Amino acid sequence: AAPMTASEGTPPPPQFDIDQPTIARVYDALLGGKDNFAADREGAKIYLKHVPDAGKCAIDNRAALVRGVQYLARVAGIDQFLDIGSGLPTVKNTHEAAQEINPDAKVVYVDNDPIVLAHGRALLASNESTTVITADLRDPEYILAHEEVKSTLDFNRPIGLMIVGLHMHFHDDEQPDEWVRTLLDACPAGSYLFITDFVDTGDDLQKSIERAGLESLGNGWIRTPERIREHFLGLPLIEPGLDFLERWYPEEPDREVPDADKLEPYQRILMAAIGKKE
Ligand code: SAM
């Protein structure tokens, strides 16, 4: 399938150009990874200029990803994951979190940055249950028709669909719900949708992360919680619903968490939620 035209404001997928920062590599730089180039470290510096704790945001996001995958693998019994916008599979990612719980869990990583495939092939060469493909969230039909997706995942059994750390915030607001609908329609009842996103609840620092994204990558918008909830297309959310990462512990619904207004400003930049298709 021909890639869908990116709507205005959303840049085209990154090409392999080490002089241009890409989301995957800037995020890797913020996480303290080694798979990034000078331009990416400059991009990371712009984030750190606007949001000095941007590195902690990246680390907290990856930690929330791990908690979500642990919930899905352990509590929900999910053993196949379609992880879109996976980033570089370094620094504990989905396959490690899932396969620690279920060594047979299957994971397909999808990223539109070709560096993810290049590095992923090498890193995952000995892991038969994990695959990486280069594809774009904005072309969900291509993802679903991809041979490696079809041969790795069984769409007759529940899937953990992940759009973590990229969904809305790296795309403008025109079509994201349609991309999600196409993907969810392909997943049977019992499947889950897991999203984390930049959020806009009116804080200055939330605006700063938006400014940093636009300045360094040309991309990175914030959305209200109401708008993020719409991406779940009406699916019921598991406890504790859509919340700031620091308050989001799906395996521990009774955990004491800080009040939202007691969080550090950097802890109010991202929210997470998991919806269940019934
Ligand atoms: N999911 C990982 C996590 O939360 O730790 C990585 C998040 S990283 C901030 C966002 C990733 O999404 C990057 O690797 C970027 O290349 C990828 N990405 C951005 N837009 C995308 C798109 N339209 N389709 C597929 N991947 C995309």
Side-chain angles (χ1 to χ4, degrees), residues 221-240:
W221 294 274
I222 59 176
R223 302 280 187 267
T224 63
E226 295 69 34
R227 183 69 189 97
I228 295 173
R229 204 179 285 269
E230 284 173 13
H231 306 323
F232 289 89
L233 309 173
L235 298 186
L237 303 184
I238 62 153
E239 289 297 318

Side-chain angles (χ1 to χ4, degrees), residues 181-208:
R181 191 180 306 281
T182 301
L183 293 164
L184 263 185
D185 280 352
C187 298
S191 296
Y192 290 82
L193 170 63
F194 176 15
I195 292 176
T196 74
D197 253 322
F198 288 160
V199 71
D200 180 3
T201 59
D203 289 10
D204 288 345
L205 201 69
Q206 296 165 345
K207 294 267 184 301
S208 301

Side-chain angles (χ1 to χ4, degrees), residues 10-11 13-14 22-28 31 58 61-63 65 83-88 90-94 109-116 134-139 143 162-167 169-171 179 196 198 219:
T10 300
T22 72
I23 302 167
R25 301 188 314 232
V26 169
Y27 184 69
D28 181 69
L31 276 177
N61 183 62
R62 186 56 69 83
L65 176 147
D83 182 352
I84 303 182
S86 55
L88 290 153
T90 54
V91 191
K92 194 159 182 175
N93 208 338
T94 304
Y109 285 131
V110 179
D111 204 287
N112 70 348
D113 188 334
I115 195 172
V116 172
T134 299
D136 201 296
L137 171 68
R138 294 167 288 184
D139 194 355
I143 296 174
M162 301 174 51
I163 309 179
V164 173
L166 98 152
H167 176 217
H169 62 242
F170 292 122
H171 302 89
W179 308 326
T196 74
F198 288 160
N219 161 343

